Amino acid sequence: IGGVQLGQGTAAGAAGPVEWRDVSVTRGDRPLRYLSVQESRLVSSACPGRTRHDYTWLGGTLIAASMQEIPDAFPDDAMCESVQATSRQVLWWDGALERHSRHTGPAEFEAWERWRNEEPACNDRAGSAAPATQDIERDAVYWQGVVGRPEPQGPR
């Protein structure tokens, strides 16, 4: 397909090999880039499982990032039986944080959305500060380096 580039492979991550896929689409003067990296470990725990990182850039600016940790269903270690799946999603538009959410297991969910914070009737936490995203932004730059691709800008 014209204007589409696909890269995939295996690279050395901090805790062993990672699988990655990098897709770039250019239409007009705004390239869209998507990077997915899968680690064969949990980032937040020594328990067995896998972690998937996904990043999207539009015109060189980070607009979306997500991280999912999926623990093994039948761990060998009894201490790992209580480890829950987790996920985090962050969206930006024109450099502003639009949405941030975290899920832990089936019950815990936390979300921050800019539009809700601008409409007091829609959110009992109206005016709450935007969550910090520097860590997931740093991760995007880190994974770009691991797969050997140029580093796009952050959302600012």
Side-chain angles (χ1 to χ4, degrees):
I1 300 174
V4 177
Q5 295 180 344
L6 170 65
Q8 59 186 16
T10 305
V18 297
E19 295 177 13
W20 60 271
R21 176 173 288 195
D22 191 359
V23 180
S24 297
V25 178
T26 302
R27 298 283 188 263
D29 63 347
R30 294 197 76 183
L32 178 72
R33 179 184 225 163
Y34 167 77
L35 173 65
S36 178
V37 178
Q38 185 159 302
E39 297 183 84
S40 56
R41 70 174 182 127
L42 298 179
V43 173
S44 65
S45 170
C47 294
R50 64 188 187 285
T51 302
R52 179 177 168 153
H53 309 269
D54 296 285
Y55 305 99
T56 304
W57 293 266
L58 180 61
T61 300
L62 186 64
I63 62 168
S66 69
M67 184 275 302
Q68 297 175 314
E69 289 186 308
I70 301 113
D72 284 356
F74 304 102
D76 293 334
D77 186 342
M79 295 294 291
C80 293
E81 289 179 9
S82 64
V83 174
Q84 298 285 315
T86 62
S87 68
R88 180 178 180 195
Q89 295 179 334
V90 182
L91 298 172
W92 297 270
W93 192 253
D94 288 335
L97 181 65
E98 293 291 326
R99 186 171 201 286
H100 182 276
S101 67
R102 288 183 195 268
H103 298 259
T104 303
E108 291 184 42
F109 174 72
E110 170 188 320
W112 181 93
E113 295 173 320
R114 184 169 70 144
W115 71 270
R116 287 190 178 270
N117 288 318
E118 293 173 355
E119 296 289 339
C122 295
N123 188 346
D124 61 354
R125 298 180 303 143
S128 64
T133 61
Q134 293 87 353
D135 59 335
I136 205 162
E137 293 172 52
R138 276 191 310 269
D139 289 347
V141 171
Y142 169 76
W143 289 116
Q144 283 288 322
V146 167
V147 303
R149 301 287 199 179
E151 298 175 3
Q153 303 170 9
R156 294 181 196 359

